[in-house]
Amino acid sequence: MPIVYSKLSGKNDAMYGKFEHPIKALIQNESNALEKKKSILDVLYNVEKSNRYAETVMGQSDFDVFQSVKEGQGAENDSVESTFKKTIEHIAFMKEFTITKEMVDDAKFGMGSNMKSKPQGFVRAYYKTRTKIAAWALANGTKTQDKFGGKTLVDLAVADGKPLFHNGHTYSLDKFKGKTQSNYFYSGSLCANTAEFEKSLGILANKMRNFKDENGESLDYVPDILILPCNRPELEQIAKKVVGSERTTNTDFNDINTQYGNWTIVILPGWETTDDRFMLMSSDANKQLLGSMFYNRVNLDIRNYIDEHTRNFVWNGYCRFGIGFTTWKHMLLAVDSDSAVTNATAL
């Protein structure tokens, strides 16, 4: 992901010039190092480039099965219909930092290390923003919209206008009018122990495999990613035992653990819950259905100048990206209690 640098001041200030290029090198090195690290954004989202103000994903129904014909007769004409449309608009983000005149003066006397902390943290904040909003969007998947950082209003609804996780997702074709599907479930015994958790994973995986397309046909996508809150260590321990044990745990039988080796566990940063809940995702469904989307519209663009009034060295960063969900059929949310849950279906 390239980072663009622009010098706007047009001045050749020897004192600032002494630090400008080393700082650029620090920023570039920091960017390269962070770009190589695979984050939850790469695991849980489809990351694509965009050159428009927004991106729209449209769906269509599939062809029906072939029909038999009598000798000499022609084929029955089939057609497809548009099913859903979801538009994700890009959002602009900016940040600025200042290296004061005094810091530059002092750096000439052996305090140059102070000059490095700000530009390194500046680029790190850019990558952190991308990762944080990706986790935040999923953690707020029971809402149709919310404010990221308390300021930026983000559309979190899927194509049917419902939240990502809901018990009443609607079909887009008239022939299924009034029928709904759920990807939001509760059960009081989801996470009681490893045996119950193993059983719950099997039931929920079956639920996802039987999600229907717009023609009412089973999608047959199997979940393979288990997403856990970051503040539930007991749940994390249970999940790791179940996923990593060849045999069923917490029982008197030496049965095969049907969930062994089937899952990648992701601890979602910033997702703090008051009860035990988790998400399941099919990476295949996410890719094929373009479920969770992240669009890079403008990569980090950094410009710098010297403020004439203060003589401070100012660095300004601008980026723009879009995030959202086109469909719900690649994920589900499970919670262990119905006491604080709305829009969820009993498992």
Side-chain angles (χ1 to χ4, degrees):
M1 181 180 300
I3 293 181
V4 179
Y5 305 96
S6 300
K7 184 176 180 180
L8 301 181
S9 64
K11 297 180 180 292
N12 185 17
D13 190 311
M15 181 168 59
Y16 284 101
K18 181 178 179 181
F19 302 105
E20 180 180 5
H21 295 292
I23 287 177
K24 281 187 178 181
L26 283 170
I27 290 178
Q28 185 65 63
N29 290 338
E30 182 76 1
S31 170
N32 291 341
L34 290 172
E35 188 177 345
K36 292 177 182 178
K37 295 180 180 179
K38 195 171 186 179
S39 70
I40 63 165
L41 182 62
D42 304 290
V43 176
L44 303 180
Y45 286 79
N46 299 291
V47 181
E48 297 187 1
K49 294 180 180 180
S50 173
N51 57 5
R52 306 175 182 86
Y53 87 95
E55 292 288 343
T56 298
V57 177
M58 300 183 66
Q60 66 178 22
S61 62
D62 205 354
F63 288 113
D64 203 350
V65 296
F66 277 65
Q67 300 294 329
S68 63
V69 297
K70 294 182 179 180
E71 183 179 356
Q73 290 185 341
E76 179 184 6
N77 185 269
D78 201 356
S79 62
V80 296
E81 299 179 69
S82 295
T83 54
F84 68 85
K85 181 174 69 174
K86 175 64 182 180
T87 299
I88 298 175
E89 295 189 12
H90 306 314
I91 306 169
F93 292 87
M94 296 187 71
K95 182 170 285 293
E96 188 173 272
F97 76 88
T98 301
I99 297 179
T100 64
K101 177 68 165 61
E102 289 81 359
M103 186 179 292
V104 175
D105 290 338
D106 293 341
K108 295 167 63 179
F109 299 98
M111 296 180 64
S113 59
N114 290 335
M115 300 285 290
K116 298 180 181 180
S117 58
K118 283 193 175 182
Q120 285 181 326
F122 187 67
V123 177
R124 196 176 295 116
Y126 164 66
Y127 284 94
K128 183 170 69 174
T129 301
R130 292 157 49 87
T131 301
K132 191 170 183 178
I133 196 172
W136 170 87
L138 288 174
N140 288 275
T142 56
K143 304 175 183 178
T144 56
Q145 63 178 18
D146 201 2
K147 290 185 177 181
F148 173 63
K151 297 180 180 180
T152 306
L153 188 64
V154 181
D155 178 13
L156 300 174
V158 296
D160 65 1
K162 302 291 195 302
L164 173 62
F165 304 114
H166 198 272
N167 74 341
H169 287 294
T170 57
Y171 287 87
S172 58
L173 300 181
D174 289 340
K175 62 181 178 180
F176 294 110
K177 188 175 182 179
K179 293 186 177 182
T180 61
Q181 299 185 71
S182 177
N183 69 334
Y184 189 9
F185 304 97
Y186 72 81
S187 172
S189 59
L190 273 175
C191 311
N193 51 55
T194 54
E196 289 295 337
F197 189 77
E198 179 187 339
K199 178 181 176 182
S200 299
L201 286 180
I203 295 173
L204 291 165
N206 180 263
K207 294 281 188 182
M208 179 174 285
R209 188 169 62 242
N210 286 289
F211 286 166
K212 304 296 191 296
D213 66 11
E214 298 307 305
N215 284 325
E217 302 288 343
S218 296
L219 286 166
D220 293 329
Y221 287 115
V222 178
D224 58 344
I225 296 179
L226 174 59
I227 306 169
L228 305 176
C230 65
N231 68 327
R232 312 298 293 180
E234 297 86 359
L235 175 58
E236 181 179 345
Q237 185 179 33
I238 288 175
K240 288 180 177 178
K241 284 182 178 180
V242 169
V243 172
S245 300
E246 294 187 28
R247 300 292 176 178
T248 297
T249 61
N250 203 45
T251 69
D252 296 330
F253 305 100
N254 193 27
D255 294 338
I256 294 174
N257 176 12
T258 58
Q259 303 304 320
Y260 172 67
N262 293 343
W263 302 91
T264 296
I265 295 179
V266 175
I267 309 300
L268 196 64
W271 187 28
E272 297 187 356
T273 67
T274 57
D275 56 7
D276 287 333
R277 56 179 62 197
F278 56 88
M279 305 174 193
L280 302 186
M281 187 181 88
S282 166
S283 55
D284 192 23
N286 187 36
K287 181 179 179 180
Q288 298 298 328
L289 304 179
L290 298 179
S292 302
M293 301 302 299
F294 186 96
Y295 292 103
N296 286 309
R297 178 62 181 91
V298 179
N299 293 326
L300 181 58
D301 180 358
I302 300 175
R303 302 190 178 191
N304 67 78
Y305 63 92
I306 298 173
D307 181 65
E308 294 291 341
H309 182 66
T310 63
R311 297 194 182 186
N312 293 334
F313 196 15
V314 181
W315 289 74
N316 179 279
Y318 170 88
C319 63
R320 192 174 169 208
F321 50 77
I323 189 170
F325 310 106
T326 64
T327 183
W328 55 270
K329 298 174 183 177
H330 61 301
M331 298 193 72
L332 65 77
L333 174 64
V335 295
D336 69 347
S337 172
D338 65 338
S339 60
V341 175
T342 58
N343 298 325
T345 300
L347 187 61

